[in-house]
Amino acid sequence: MLVNEMLSAFYVKVSQAKTRSVDENEVPSALLSEVANKYDLERKFDKIAEANYKIDEIKIQVQEDLKKVAVDQKEMEELDKKAENMATNAKEFEKDAKVMEKQMWWRNARLWIIIAVVIVIILIAVLVPILLTK
């Protein structure tokens, strides 16, 4: 019904445009926009059509929002996995750091023991001859 009306109105406009010898490149876009605007305005006067149009717009918006929520949910799951991996890596790093700290402490302790032994040997080497000569 509505489609037939639109087509008949469009054909009338096209035939009028041809008789007026309008440029062919301008005819389709001008006529189509005129016909589309006419029927778009009529939709505004028809309350049921307007309500259906708004419902369709809301459905589309809800579907887009649901897609966004699904994408956000997927991203949140990926972030959770990354956070879990980071926590696991942090625990391993902490264990390795404690092992390294103990190793470094023992190296430092051995170094100080060696320095102390060398100082004692030098003191003995210097003090024994001095004390024996007196």
Side-chain angles (χ1 to χ4, degrees):
M1 335 184 265
L2 186 61
V3 173
N4 291 335
E5 273 184 55
M6 284 183 68
L7 286 174
S8 63
F10 180 71
Y11 289 134
V12 168
K13 294 286 185 178
V14 168
S15 64
Q16 289 173 355
K18 284 183 180 179
T19 59
R20 289 186 301 205
S21 67
V22 176
D23 184 19
E24 287 183 15
N25 293 332
E26 295 177 13
V27 172
S29 63
L31 289 176
L32 282 176
S33 69
E34 183 180 330
V35 171
N37 286 336
K38 176 185 173 191
Y39 287 99
D40 191 41
L41 291 174
E42 285 183 8
R43 177 188 50 81
K44 292 180 182 174
F45 295 112
D46 186 6
K47 298 293 182 188
I48 294 173
E50 180 67 20
N52 286 336
Y53 180 75
K54 286 182 180 180
I55 289 171
D56 290 340
E57 284 182 337
I58 292 171
K59 283 181 183 177
I60 291 170
Q61 184 64 39
V62 167
Q63 288 173 348
E64 289 174 1
D65 290 346
L66 288 174
K67 287 178 185 176
K68 288 179 185 177
V69 167
V71 168
D72 290 345
Q73 180 67 26
K74 185 177 180 181
E75 289 175 357
M76 288 298 293
E77 289 172 359
E78 290 174 3
L79 285 174
D80 283 343
K81 288 178 184 177
K82 287 180 182 180
E84 288 174 7
N85 288 341
M86 287 180 72
T88 303
N89 291 341
K91 287 179 183 177
E92 289 177 19
F93 179 79
E94 187 177 359
K95 288 178 186 176
D96 292 343
K98 286 181 182 179
V99 168
M100 181 66 73
E101 183 181 19
K102 288 180 183 179
Q103 288 175 348
M104 294 306 292
W105 186 86
W106 279 110
R107 279 188 185 172
N108 194 26
R110 279 183 274 172
L111 180 67
W112 281 107
I113 290 171
I114 291 171
I115 290 173
V117 168
V118 168
I119 290 174
V120 168
I121 291 173
I122 291 173
L123 284 176
I124 290 175
V126 170
L127 290 179
V128 167
I130 294 175
L131 290 176
L132 288 178
T133 57
K134 285 188 183 183

